[in-house]
Short mmCIF file of all heavy atoms in Angstrom, two decimals:
data_model
loop_
_atom_site.label_atom_id
_atom_site.label_comp_id
_atom_site.label_asym_id
_atom_site.label_seq_id
_atom_site.Cartn_x
_atom_site.Cartn_y
_atom_site.Cartn_z
N ALA S 22 53.78 -27.81 -17.05
CA ALA S 22 53.64 -26.44 -16.58
C ALA S 22 53.14 -25.54 -17.70
O ALA S 22 53.14 -25.90 -18.86
CB ALA S 22 54.97 -25.92 -16.06
N GLU S 23 52.77 -24.32 -17.34
CA GLU S 23 52.32 -23.38 -18.35
C GLU S 23 53.50 -22.87 -19.17
O GLU S 23 54.64 -23.00 -18.78
CB GLU S 23 51.59 -22.21 -17.67
CG GLU S 23 52.43 -21.48 -16.64
CD GLU S 23 51.61 -20.48 -15.87
OE1 GLU S 23 50.51 -20.86 -15.42
OE2 GLU S 23 52.07 -19.35 -15.71
N THR S 24 53.18 -22.30 -20.31
CA THR S 24 54.21 -21.87 -21.26
C THR S 24 55.15 -20.84 -20.64
O THR S 24 54.73 -19.94 -19.92
CB THR S 24 53.53 -21.25 -22.50
OG1 THR S 24 52.71 -22.24 -23.09
CG2 THR S 24 54.58 -20.78 -23.50
N LEU S 25 56.44 -21.00 -20.95
CA LEU S 25 57.47 -20.09 -20.47
C LEU S 25 57.94 -19.20 -21.61
O LEU S 25 58.09 -19.66 -22.72
CB LEU S 25 58.67 -20.89 -19.94
CG LEU S 25 59.89 -20.11 -19.44
CD1 LEU S 25 59.57 -19.49 -18.09
CD2 LEU S 25 61.10 -21.02 -19.32
N SER S 26 58.16 -17.93 -21.33
CA SER S 26 58.67 -17.03 -22.36
C SER S 26 60.02 -17.50 -22.84
O SER S 26 60.91 -17.76 -22.03
CB SER S 26 58.80 -15.61 -21.78
OG SER S 26 59.53 -14.79 -22.67
N PRO S 27 60.24 -17.62 -24.15
CA PRO S 27 61.50 -18.12 -24.67
C PRO S 27 62.66 -17.18 -24.46
O PRO S 27 63.80 -17.57 -24.64
CB PRO S 27 61.21 -18.28 -26.17
CG PRO S 27 60.10 -17.33 -26.45
CD PRO S 27 59.27 -17.31 -25.22
N SER S 28 62.40 -15.93 -24.10
CA SER S 28 63.49 -14.98 -23.88
C SER S 28 64.11 -15.15 -22.50
O SER S 28 65.10 -14.52 -22.18
CB SER S 28 62.98 -13.54 -24.03
OG SER S 28 62.02 -13.25 -23.04
N ARG S 29 63.53 -16.05 -21.67
CA ARG S 29 64.01 -16.21 -20.30
C ARG S 29 64.62 -17.58 -20.12
O ARG S 29 64.09 -18.58 -20.58
CB ARG S 29 62.82 -16.02 -19.34
CG ARG S 29 63.23 -15.78 -17.91
CD ARG S 29 62.01 -15.49 -17.07
NE ARG S 29 61.10 -16.63 -17.04
CZ ARG S 29 59.91 -16.60 -16.48
NH1 ARG S 29 59.46 -15.48 -15.96
NH2 ARG S 29 59.14 -17.67 -16.46
N SER S 30 65.76 -17.65 -19.43
CA SER S 30 66.43 -18.92 -19.21
C SER S 30 65.69 -19.73 -18.15
O SER S 30 65.09 -19.18 -17.22
CB SER S 30 67.86 -18.69 -18.73
OG SER S 30 68.62 -18.07 -19.73
N LEU S 31 65.72 -21.05 -18.29
CA LEU S 31 65.14 -21.91 -17.27
C LEU S 31 66.01 -21.88 -16.02
O LEU S 31 67.21 -22.00 -16.11
CB LEU S 31 65.06 -23.34 -17.80
CG LEU S 31 64.13 -23.57 -19.00
CD1 LEU S 31 64.24 -25.01 -19.45
CD2 LEU S 31 62.70 -23.23 -18.63
N GLN S 32 65.43 -21.73 -14.86
CA GLN S 32 66.19 -21.66 -13.63
C GLN S 32 65.47 -22.44 -12.54
O GLN S 32 64.44 -22.03 -12.04
CB GLN S 32 66.37 -20.19 -13.22
CG GLN S 32 67.28 -20.00 -12.02
CD GLN S 32 68.72 -20.26 -12.37
OE1 GLN S 32 69.13 -20.06 -13.50
NE2 GLN S 32 69.49 -20.72 -11.41
N ASP S 33 66.02 -23.62 -12.21
CA ASP S 33 65.49 -24.43 -11.13
C ASP S 33 64.01 -24.73 -11.33
O ASP S 33 63.18 -24.53 -10.45
CB ASP S 33 65.71 -23.71 -9.79
CG ASP S 33 65.59 -24.68 -8.62
OD1 ASP S 33 65.91 -25.86 -8.79
OD2 ASP S 33 65.16 -24.25 -7.53
N SER S 34 63.64 -25.21 -12.53
CA SER S 34 62.24 -25.48 -12.85
C SER S 34 61.83 -26.87 -12.36
O SER S 34 62.41 -27.87 -12.78
CB SER S 34 62.02 -25.38 -14.36
OG SER S 34 62.39 -24.08 -14.80
N PRO S 35 60.81 -27.00 -11.48
CA PRO S 35 60.42 -28.30 -10.94
C PRO S 35 59.48 -29.07 -11.85
O PRO S 35 59.17 -30.22 -11.59
CB PRO S 35 59.72 -27.92 -9.63
CG PRO S 35 59.11 -26.59 -9.94
CD PRO S 35 60.05 -25.90 -10.87
N GLN S 36 58.99 -28.42 -12.92
CA GLN S 36 58.00 -29.06 -13.76
C GLN S 36 58.42 -29.00 -15.21
O GLN S 36 59.34 -28.28 -15.59
CB GLN S 36 56.64 -28.37 -13.59
CG GLN S 36 56.03 -28.54 -12.21
CD GLN S 36 54.70 -27.82 -12.12
OE1 GLN S 36 54.62 -26.62 -12.35
NE2 GLN S 36 53.66 -28.56 -11.80
N VAL S 37 57.68 -29.76 -16.03
CA VAL S 37 57.88 -29.67 -17.47
C VAL S 37 57.54 -28.26 -17.93
O VAL S 37 56.61 -27.65 -17.43
CB VAL S 37 56.97 -30.70 -18.19
CG1 VAL S 37 56.89 -30.39 -19.68
CG2 VAL S 37 57.50 -32.11 -17.97
N GLN S 38 58.34 -27.74 -18.87
CA GLN S 38 58.07 -26.42 -19.43
C GLN S 38 57.67 -26.57 -20.89
O GLN S 38 58.26 -27.35 -21.64
CB GLN S 38 59.32 -25.54 -19.32
CG GLN S 38 59.83 -25.34 -17.90
CD GLN S 38 58.89 -24.49 -17.06
OE1 GLN S 38 58.09 -23.72 -17.60
NE2 GLN S 38 58.98 -24.63 -15.75
N LEU S 39 56.67 -25.79 -21.30
CA LEU S 39 56.26 -25.73 -22.69
C LEU S 39 56.65 -24.35 -23.22
O LEU S 39 56.16 -23.34 -22.72
CB LEU S 39 54.76 -25.95 -22.83
CG LEU S 39 54.24 -27.34 -22.43
CD1 LEU S 39 52.73 -27.39 -22.60
CD2 LEU S 39 54.93 -28.42 -23.24
N ILE S 40 57.53 -24.32 -24.21
CA ILE S 40 58.05 -23.07 -24.73
C ILE S 40 57.61 -22.90 -26.18
O ILE S 40 57.90 -23.75 -27.02
CB ILE S 40 59.58 -23.02 -24.64
CG1 ILE S 40 60.03 -23.24 -23.19
CG2 ILE S 40 60.12 -21.71 -25.20
CD1 ILE S 40 61.53 -23.33 -23.04
N THR S 41 56.92 -21.82 -26.45
CA THR S 41 56.50 -21.52 -27.82
C THR S 41 57.59 -20.71 -28.50
O THR S 41 58.01 -19.67 -28.01
CB THR S 41 55.18 -20.73 -27.83
OG1 THR S 41 54.16 -21.50 -27.18
CG2 THR S 41 54.74 -20.44 -29.26
N ILE S 42 58.05 -21.21 -29.65
CA ILE S 42 59.17 -20.59 -30.35
C ILE S 42 58.72 -19.32 -31.09
O ILE S 42 57.75 -19.33 -31.84
CB ILE S 42 59.79 -21.59 -31.36
CG1 ILE S 42 60.31 -22.81 -30.60
CG2 ILE S 42 60.91 -20.94 -32.16
CD1 ILE S 42 61.34 -22.50 -29.52
N SER S 43 59.46 -18.24 -30.85
CA SER S 43 59.17 -16.98 -31.52
C SER S 43 59.98 -16.90 -32.81
O SER S 43 60.78 -17.78 -33.12
CB SER S 43 59.55 -15.81 -30.60
OG SER S 43 60.96 -15.73 -30.49
N ASP S 44 59.81 -15.80 -33.52
CA ASP S 44 60.58 -15.64 -34.76
C ASP S 44 62.07 -15.52 -34.47
O ASP S 44 62.90 -15.84 -35.31
CB ASP S 44 60.10 -14.41 -35.55
CG ASP S 44 60.28 -13.12 -34.77
OD1 ASP S 44 60.37 -13.17 -33.53
OD2 ASP S 44 60.33 -12.06 -35.41
N GLU S 45 62.44 -15.08 -33.24
CA GLU S 45 63.85 -14.95 -32.90
C GLU S 45 64.51 -16.31 -32.67
O GLU S 45 65.71 -16.47 -32.89
CB GLU S 45 64.01 -14.11 -31.63
CG GLU S 45 63.74 -12.64 -31.85
CD GLU S 45 64.54 -12.07 -33.00
OE1 GLU S 45 65.77 -12.24 -33.02
OE2 GLU S 45 63.94 -11.50 -33.92
N GLU S 46 63.74 -17.29 -32.21
CA GLU S 46 64.30 -18.64 -32.02
C GLU S 46 64.27 -19.45 -33.31
O GLU S 46 64.98 -20.45 -33.43
CB GLU S 46 63.51 -19.40 -30.94
CG GLU S 46 64.04 -19.21 -29.52
CD GLU S 46 63.85 -17.81 -28.98
OE1 GLU S 46 62.88 -17.15 -29.38
OE2 GLU S 46 64.68 -17.38 -28.17
N SER S 47 63.46 -19.05 -34.26
CA SER S 47 63.30 -19.80 -35.49
C SER S 47 64.62 -19.96 -36.22
O SER S 47 65.40 -19.02 -36.32
CB SER S 47 62.30 -19.09 -36.40
OG SER S 47 62.12 -19.78 -37.61
N GLY S 48 64.88 -21.17 -36.71
CA GLY S 48 66.11 -21.44 -37.45
C GLY S 48 67.19 -22.08 -36.62
O GLY S 48 68.16 -22.62 -37.16
N GLN S 49 67.06 -22.03 -35.29
CA GLN S 49 68.06 -22.65 -34.41
C GLN S 49 67.91 -24.16 -34.39
O GLN S 49 66.79 -24.69 -34.45
CB GLN S 49 67.89 -22.17 -32.97
CG GLN S 49 68.44 -20.84 -32.65
CD GLN S 49 68.41 -20.61 -31.16
OE1 GLN S 49 69.33 -20.94 -30.44
NE2 GLN S 49 67.31 -20.05 -30.69
N ARG S 50 69.02 -24.85 -34.24
CA ARG S 50 68.95 -26.28 -33.96
C ARG S 50 68.47 -26.47 -32.52
O ARG S 50 68.77 -25.67 -31.64
CB ARG S 50 70.31 -26.94 -34.14
CG ARG S 50 70.61 -27.32 -35.57
CD ARG S 50 71.97 -27.93 -35.77
NE ARG S 50 72.38 -28.86 -34.75
CZ ARG S 50 73.18 -29.91 -34.96
NH1 ARG S 50 73.63 -30.16 -36.18
NH2 ARG S 50 73.55 -30.71 -33.98
N ILE S 51 67.72 -27.54 -32.29
CA ILE S 51 67.16 -27.78 -30.96
C ILE S 51 68.23 -27.92 -29.89
O ILE S 51 68.06 -27.45 -28.76
CB ILE S 51 66.22 -29.03 -30.98
CG1 ILE S 51 65.56 -29.23 -29.61
CG2 ILE S 51 66.99 -30.27 -31.42
CD1 ILE S 51 64.61 -28.15 -29.19
N ASP S 52 69.39 -28.54 -30.24
CA ASP S 52 70.44 -28.71 -29.22
C ASP S 52 71.01 -27.36 -28.80
O ASP S 52 71.22 -27.10 -27.61
CB ASP S 52 71.53 -29.66 -29.70
CG ASP S 52 72.12 -29.28 -31.04
OD1 ASP S 52 71.58 -28.38 -31.72
OD2 ASP S 52 73.14 -29.90 -31.43
N ASN S 53 71.21 -26.47 -29.77
CA ASN S 53 71.74 -25.14 -29.44
C ASN S 53 70.73 -24.33 -28.64
O ASN S 53 71.10 -23.57 -27.73
CB ASN S 53 72.12 -24.39 -30.71
CG ASN S 53 73.32 -25.01 -31.40
OD1 ASN S 53 74.20 -25.58 -30.75
ND2 ASN S 53 73.37 -24.90 -32.72
N PHE S 54 69.46 -24.49 -28.96
CA PHE S 54 68.40 -23.80 -28.21
C PHE S 54 68.40 -24.24 -26.75
O PHE S 54 68.36 -23.43 -25.82
CB PHE S 54 67.06 -24.09 -28.86
CG PHE S 54 65.88 -23.55 -28.09
CD1 PHE S 54 65.59 -22.19 -28.07
CD2 PHE S 54 65.04 -24.41 -27.37
CE1 PHE S 54 64.51 -21.70 -27.36
CE2 PHE S 54 63.96 -23.93 -26.67
CZ PHE S 54 63.68 -22.57 -26.66
N LEU S 55 68.50 -25.56 -26.52
CA LEU S 55 68.49 -26.08 -25.15
C LEU S 55 69.73 -25.65 -24.38
O LEU S 55 69.66 -25.34 -23.19
CB LEU S 55 68.38 -27.60 -25.17
CG LEU S 55 67.03 -28.15 -25.66
CD1 LEU S 55 67.10 -29.66 -25.82
CD2 LEU S 55 65.90 -27.77 -24.71
N LEU S 56 70.88 -25.65 -25.06
CA LEU S 56 72.11 -25.22 -24.40
C LEU S 56 72.00 -23.77 -23.94
O LEU S 56 72.55 -23.39 -22.90
CB LEU S 56 73.30 -25.38 -25.34
CG LEU S 56 73.77 -26.82 -25.58
CD1 LEU S 56 74.73 -26.88 -26.76
CD2 LEU S 56 74.43 -27.39 -24.32
N ARG S 57 71.27 -22.96 -24.71
CA ARG S 57 71.12 -21.55 -24.33
C ARG S 57 70.17 -21.36 -23.16
O ARG S 57 70.46 -20.60 -22.23
CB ARG S 57 70.63 -20.74 -25.54
CG ARG S 57 70.49 -19.24 -25.24
CD ARG S 57 70.13 -18.45 -26.47
NE ARG S 57 68.81 -18.79 -26.98
CZ ARG S 57 67.68 -18.28 -26.50
NH1 ARG S 57 67.70 -17.45 -25.48
NH2 ARG S 57 66.52 -18.62 -27.02
N ILE S 58 69.03 -22.04 -23.19
CA ILE S 58 68.05 -21.79 -22.14
C ILE S 58 68.34 -22.58 -20.86
O ILE S 58 67.87 -22.22 -19.79
CB ILE S 58 66.61 -22.10 -22.62
CG1 ILE S 58 66.43 -23.59 -22.91
CG2 ILE S 58 66.25 -21.24 -23.81
CD1 ILE S 58 64.99 -23.97 -23.10
#
């Protein structure tokens, strides 16, 4: 699927999502990032 804004949580997404990390997401561990979105 097309890129999803990282400030928005995934909700019932039927396709693969590509998320570009902003400066606000930078520094997070990937597991914590996924748990949040």
Side-chain angles (χ1 to χ4, degrees):
E23 57 188 47
T24 300
L25 178 74
S26 168
S28 64
R29 196 175 63 186
S30 295
L31 295 176
Q32 186 72 29
D33 198 31
S34 301
Q36 293 180 303
V37 165
Q38 301 291 338
L39 295 179
I40 304 175
T41 301
I42 299 302
S43 71
D44 62 338
E45 288 308 307
E46 270 68 30
S47 180
Q49 281 190 89
R50 276 178 41 149
I51 183 65
D52 53 351
N53 292 329
F54 174 74
L55 292 172
L56 286 167
R57 182 174 66 82
I58 66 168

